[in-house]
Amino acid sequence: MVLTVDYCPLRREREVRAKLMEVGASPQGIELMVKKAIIYPLEISGLSLPAANIVKQLALSKGAEAVLHRDVLIGGAEGKPLLLLATEKQHKEICQGLRRNQFSLPELAEKIEETLRVIKCDYWQIAYDGGRLELGKRPLLMGILNITPDSFFDGGRYLNLHQAVDHVHDLQASGADIIDIGGASSRPGHEEVSEREESDRVLPLIETLADITIPMSVDTDKPAVARDALKVGAKIINDIGGLQNRQMLELAAESKAPVIVMHQGADKNDLMGE
């Protein structure tokens, strides 16, 4: 028998459970060990120095770790972030201790627990008008259809309505979960398209396809185009402008439609930072 050691990265609870089953752990053992197998690093900002030191001591007492700026020990680095390294079980024990302290630490316990709930969510649903998308169980496929003369791949191919409709049905038959319809290219060097022209390109197709069984998203940065597309059958807003237009934000809030927030690269505003 050859002795080997292999790295076994486990990032999700379902991966841990699968690996423990593969190793042969009992069902009772899996329930005990699954919460010990993953470290959840949380970056915490806005703590006072006394609060940061309390978090540090609580973490150490539970076998976890809290990483502080090196100057905290001499009373400096006020407001610097803290990195809390703990398993789910340790986080819960730390939160119990936080609730018995002051310096806004009970509020911190609530925030930690809410963050863990989000991190640990393997599957979730997004509701749209008439249905739901299940995310996390498997990758979803988006079929792209550009009603444009100048897009990268399919520019000029589907300007005819009947050709476009046939292509959407082909995409659906091939396994697409979402159909994304755009009427204005955003590639480098593209020509700007007026609101009217973009609407004239996409609205007839969306209206014709309003009864398909998978949702359509409208690929646009123009709020008026998105609004009209939702009226005739689109279910999702795919904003290539990164929700930088206030009217698009208002439309998203008003319509309750799911929104894809596109980020087009370094030549735009710092959308990720903002």
Side-chain angles (χ1 to χ4, degrees):
M1 183 176 296
V2 178
L3 179 64
T4 63
V5 177
D6 293 319
Y7 176 53
C8 184
L10 300 172
R11 297 181 178 88
R12 309 291 288 183
E13 188 171 308
R14 66 174 181 267
E15 295 173 348
V16 176
R17 289 182 181 277
K19 179 56 68 174
L20 292 175
M21 289 177 64
E22 180 184 321
V23 170
S26 68
Q28 296 83 359
I30 290 174
E31 293 308 312
L32 289 172
M33 291 181 283
V34 70
K35 298 186 187 307
K36 302 177 182 180
I38 305 174
I39 295 290
Y40 295 95
L42 302 181
E43 184 174 328
I44 301 168
S45 299
L47 291 175
S48 65
L49 290 180
N53 279 300
I54 291 172
V55 174
K56 173 78 171 181
Q57 295 307 313
L58 277 171
L60 292 175
S61 72
K62 305 304 179 185
E65 184 57 271
V67 184
L68 297 168
H69 191 280
R70 58 185 174 274
D71 290 343
V72 167
L73 293 176
I74 58 174
E78 179 81 35
K80 293 291 185 181
L82 174 150
L83 184 63
L84 183 57
L85 305 173
T87 65
E88 180 186 4
K89 182 174 184 290
Q90 290 165 339
H91 275 301
K92 290 183 177 180
E93 292 174 348
I94 291 168
C95 286
Q96 291 174 0
L98 293 174
R99 288 193 170 88
R100 295 193 292 267
N101 281 277
Q102 47 183 337
F103 305 113
S104 300
L105 292 177
E107 178 187 354
L108 174 60
E110 295 293 332
K111 290 182 180 294
I112 289 174
E113 290 178 345
E114 174 60 25
T115 301
L116 287 174
R117 280 193 290 272
V118 173
I119 291 171
K120 285 173 52 55
C121 183
D122 283 333
Y123 312 124
W124 64 100
Q125 294 182 332
I126 292 180
Y128 60 86
D129 181 22
R132 293 178 180 272
L133 285 173
E134 289 195 336
L135 305 181
K137 290 187 176 180
R138 63 175 178 84
L140 298 186
L141 298 176
M142 174 182 278
I144 306 295
L145 179 60
N146 291 308
I147 313 300
T148 62
D150 56 345
S151 290
F152 275 120
F153 173 68
D154 57 356
R157 292 190 182 189
Y158 304 108
L159 299 180
N160 178 280
L161 180 61
H162 295 296
Q163 289 177 325
V165 169
D166 288 344
H167 185 56
V168 168
H169 289 309
D170 288 343
L171 290 171
Q172 184 176 6
S174 297
D177 300 287
I178 306 167
I179 301 295
D180 188 57
I181 297 175
S185 176
S186 58
R187 74 175 189 178
H190 69 278
E191 292 185 10
E192 291 294 332
V193 175
S194 70
E195 186 179 286
R196 171 59 65 85
E197 184 174 358
E198 189 174 339
S199 292
D200 288 345
R201 290 176 178 179
V202 301
L203 296 183
L205 176 60
I206 293 173
E207 188 169 20
T208 301
L209 293 166
D211 60 348
I212 64 172
T213 57
I214 58 176
M216 288 179 285
S217 57
V218 58
D219 181 337
T220 185
D221 60 358
K222 298 180 179 67
V225 175
R227 181 181 297 276
D228 289 342
L230 292 175
K231 288 179 181 178
V232 298
K235 307 298 184 183
I236 300 168
I237 300 169
N238 182 5
D239 182 8
I240 63 171
L243 288 183
Q244 298 299 287
N245 187 315
R246 178 72 186 182
Q247 291 181 335
M248 192 71 89
L249 284 169
E250 292 170 353
L251 173 61
E254 171 193 328
S255 68
K256 302 294 191 295
V259 180
I260 301 167
V261 186
M262 287 283 289
H263 176 51
Q264 295 193 68
D267 58 327
K268 302 296 180 181
N269 293 332
D270 182 16
L271 303 187
M272 302 301 287
E274 294 170 5

